[in-house]
Amino acid sequence: MVLWSKEQDKLPDIDMSSGDIEGTKEGGPLTPALVNSNCSVPPVILSKGPEEESLGSGNNLELTEVPNGDAADDVERSEIVVATDCRANAKGQREEDALLENASQSNESDETSTDQSPEPPTPLKETSFTIGLQVVFPFLLAGFGTVAAGMVLDLVQHWTVFKEVNEVFILVPALLGLKGNLEMTLASRLSTAANIGQMDNAKNMWEMIMGNLALIQVQATVVGFLASIAAVIFGWIPEGHFRLDHAVLLCASSVATAFIASLILGLIMIGVIIAARKVGINPDNVATPIAASLGDLITLSLLAGISTGLYKELDNNYANPLVCAVFVALCPLWVLIARRIPSTRELLYSGWEPVIIAMAISSVGGLILDKTVTHPNFAGIAVFTPVINGVGGNLVAVQASRISTYLHMNGLPMGDPNPTPRKCPTPCATFFGSSVNSRSARVLFLLVAPGHLAFLYTINSLRGGHTMLTAVFVSFYMVAALLQVLILLYLADWMVHWMWGRGMDPDNFSIPYLTALGDLLGTGFLALCFHMRWFIGDKDSSLGN
């Protein structure tokens, strides 16, 4: 019987390809073990006795060879261990200890990392009463702002520039729609950023402010230029003649109005969102209505004043081209600023499609306005156009911004490759569901009727427009307003989720389309109201006065 010793955790490496077994150990070679003639390792057993106690203390372990033959059958199978199994078990024990130690360290690291990371933002808990309370005052403020804009348009439609250059009317919905294309989109982006905590850090907040202001200045300049081209084309096709001086006048007026209005409204939006977040009000409920309340009035006043001033300089061949050149020359500066900010760099290249398409849609509404307001029997449409378009745009912008924020905070990742299939929502699901978005849709729709009645009463009290508010006209008007908002809220529910599922940020893509559709539907339904009223003989002596 051959005996040899080996430390528990340092058994010899066995080379089965040779006729002997070799091992290395710190301090010298090990005693060679016996190998059978067929190059097999004879089984060994642990000797019972004091060696068992020495196993726990880390001392030498005595192994005993069992001779070949029938004697090996007498040994209990549970006590037979091959030397290589001892080595593997010892190595496995060391690896298990190491893994346990690493796991412990990893858990401690994870706990430390979790403690240091900021807590995710908590969604605001809103009931129908809370939503209505937060929305109603900005909604009324926005509505009275559109009433003021309507009064201004009713006044300036008789100015010389509007009579001599009829294409200015085509610019009105396109430029008023900039609040939906740019300012409301800006308000929705910053409201979402504020709600998910991206504006809690002062450095990040100012970077987002500077980048977004530069971005909307570039977009306003380009959209204003394209709106003037659309106005020239829509005015030239029906009439069949083209005047270059009028085209340059439209370009200069449109670009200057869009640039200045976007700068003023952008600064107002930023202040409103920061203040709302500090006092604990959801910016989604107040930012977009306030943008609309001042947007129509400021934009229309600027358009009337700038176009009148440039019309007086029409004989000067350098004034209008110089105005265009100055604002266009500033574009590279705004591009450089927007490119430096990560949050606006992508929008600088990908955010043009909705803005330009929305401008084209609004220009079609402007063509309807131009052909209606110049009709002697339909002059009263001017005072109501900003109101019905503004109210519809305000409400759908609030809803789209709220749904987008909800998806950012609670939805699947944008553009998820395996999203849960979502069918096109039914009107019942949009307005009578149990979700918070259905609740807000109901609240917003219920604001339409009382809001419009208040605005119509204000217009009538101020003796604005050229139309008496008969029962027939008010009925037609209310049906048009309710149908417009009903369609827009349903489209918002479908469009925002559709864009989200395809990787498009609804804050940047949905609101321009929805507000432009609001302008088109509002102007079209309002023109239809005037035609139907005239058709059934509901006339009054105030027309044209």
Side-chain angles (χ1 to χ4, degrees):
M1 183 175 295
V2 180
L3 302 178
W4 74 91
S5 298
K6 173 75 175 69
E7 289 183 5
Q8 178 185 355
D9 59 344
K10 294 182 180 180
L11 290 173
D13 295 330
I14 302 173
D15 187 359
M16 302 300 296
S17 62
S18 60
D20 56 357
I21 301 176
E22 297 179 356
T24 59
K25 178 182 179 182
E26 296 179 7
L30 296 173
T31 304
L34 292 180
V35 184
N36 293 334
S37 59
N38 60 354
C39 296
S40 63
V41 180
V44 294
I45 62 171
L46 296 176
S47 299
K48 296 184 181 294
E51 291 82 358
E52 293 181 354
E53 299 177 359
S54 64
L55 179 63
S57 60
N59 295 332
N60 293 338
L61 176 67
E62 182 178 355
L63 301 176
T64 305
E65 177 189 346
V66 178
N68 294 331
D70 297 337
D73 297 335
D74 298 334
V75 182
E76 294 181 5
R77 297 298 180 182
S78 61
E79 296 180 352
I80 297 177
V81 179
V82 181
T84 53
D85 292 338
C86 292
R87 174 180 177 272
N89 291 337
K91 181 178 180 181
Q93 183 66 30
R94 292 198 306 271
E95 292 177 351
E96 183 179 356
D97 294 341
L99 289 174
L100 291 174
E101 182 179 358
N102 291 337
S104 177
Q105 295 176 354
S106 176
N107 291 336
E108 292 177 359
S109 176
D110 291 342
E111 292 175 359
T112 304
S113 175
T114 303
D115 294 340
Q116 293 176 352
S117 61
E119 295 182 358
T122 303
L124 296 175
K125 303 297 182 182
E126 296 176 303
T127 62
S128 297
F129 178 77
T130 304
I131 296 172
L133 188 63
Q134 292 186 9
V135 170
V136 64
F137 294 108
F139 167 73
L140 292 176
L141 179 61
F144 287 118
T146 59
V147 169
M151 299 292 289
V152 171
L153 182 60
D154 183 57
L155 173 65
V156 301
Q157 68 173 326
H158 305 294
W159 289 11
T160 304
V161 64
F162 284 85
K163 289 181 173 293
E164 297 297 329
V165 188
N166 291 334
E167 293 83 359
V168 178
F169 282 111
I170 302 178
L171 287 178
V172 171
L175 292 181
L176 295 186
L178 282 178
K179 72 179 185 298
N181 299 345
L182 303 182
E183 279 75 33
M184 286 187 178
T185 303
L186 169 67
S188 181
R189 279 199 305 268
L190 295 183
S191 296
T192 299
N195 280 326
I196 64 179
Q198 292 182 356
M199 296 183 66
D200 294 342
N201 182 276
K203 181 181 179 181
N204 293 339
M205 180 183 69
W206 286 111
E207 284 186 352
M208 294 187 66
I209 290 173
M210 294 300 297
N212 280 280
L213 281 178
L215 175 65
I216 64 172
Q217 295 312 113
V218 178
Q219 292 178 331
T221 304
V222 175
V223 172
F225 180 75
L226 295 177
S228 65
I229 295 177
V232 170
I233 294 175
F234 288 148
W236 168 65
I237 291 177
E239 297 179 4
H241 67 274
F242 172 78
R243 289 190 58 177
L244 181 61
D245 55 346
H246 284 186
V248 177
L249 170 65
L250 289 172
C251 180
S253 301
S254 180
V255 170
T257 300
F259 183 93
I260 298 173
S262 295
L263 180 61
I264 295 174
L265 293 173
L267 293 173
I268 293 175
M269 281 302 89
I270 291 169
V272 168
I273 291 170
I274 295 175
R277 188 62 179 171
K278 287 185 178 298
V279 299
I281 297 176
N282 188 351
D284 286 319
N285 294 335
V286 299
T288 50
I290 291 179
S293 66
L294 300 175
D296 288 344
L297 180 61
I298 292 175
T299 303
L300 194 53
S301 300
L302 286 172
L303 176 62
I306 292 173
S307 60
T308 299
L310 293 177
Y311 181 77
K312 294 178 180 179
E313 300 295 330
L314 197 60
D315 295 333
N316 188 343
N317 296 329
Y318 301 102
N320 291 335
L322 182 62
V323 172
C324 292
V326 169
F327 287 106
V328 172
L330 291 174
C331 281
L333 174 61
W334 310 126
V335 170
L336 290 176
I337 296 175
R339 286 183 61 184
R340 294 179 58 187
I341 309 301
S343 60
T344 55
R345 185 182 300 119
E346 181 181 357
L347 294 176
L348 191 61
Y349 301 102
S350 63
W352 294 100
E353 177 186 348
V355 173
I356 294 174
I357 294 177
M359 181 273 301
I361 296 173
S362 296
S363 296
V364 176
L367 180 61
I368 297 174
L369 176 63
D370 179 36
K371 297 305 176 184
T372 306
V373 76
T374 53
H375 193 285
N377 295 321
F378 303 143
I381 194 175
V383 72
F384 300 108
T385 301
V387 178
I388 192 170
N389 292 350
V391 169
N394 298 346
L395 295 178
V396 75
V398 171
Q399 180 69 354
S401 181
R402 290 180 57 88
I403 297 175
S404 178
T405 299
Y406 176 83
L407 292 175
H408 275 93
M409 300 181 72
N410 303 296
L412 292 172
M414 192 164 43
D416 186 52
N418 298 311
T420 303
R422 186 179 190 271
K423 298 180 181 179
C424 184
T426 62
C428 291
T430 300
F431 294 98
F432 300 104
S434 59
S435 66
V436 65
N437 294 325
S438 298
R439 192 181 309 137
S440 63
R442 292 192 295 269
V443 171
L444 295 175
F445 183 75
L446 291 175
L447 291 175
V448 177
H452 272 295
L453 289 176
F455 303 146
L456 290 177
Y457 177 78
T458 303
I459 292 174
N460 188 60
S461 299
L462 297 175
R463 299 184 182 276
H466 305 271
T467 303
M468 291 184 63
L469 299 183
T470 62
V472 173
F473 174 77
V474 173
S475 299
F476 284 155
Y477 181 90
M478 294 303 299
V479 170
L482 290 169
L483 186 60
Q484 176 208 28
V485 175
L486 187 73
I487 294 173
L488 290 176
L489 291 176
Y490 174 73
L491 289 176
D493 187 25
W494 166 79
M495 185 179 293
V496 172
H497 287 90
W498 181 84
M499 290 181 172
W500 180 269
R502 280 152 183 79
M504 297 183 291
D505 190 349
D507 284 327
N508 302 322
F509 287 88
S510 64
I511 292 181
Y513 290 123
L514 292 170
T515 54
L517 288 172
D519 292 342
L520 180 60
L521 291 174
T523 307
F525 287 160
L526 191 58
L528 186 61
C529 287
F530 274 85
H531 280 85
M532 292 179 64
R533 181 191 185 196
W534 183 261
F535 178 75
I536 65 175
D538 185 38
K539 307 172 186 178
D540 58 72
S541 58
S542 299
L543 285 174
N545 294 337

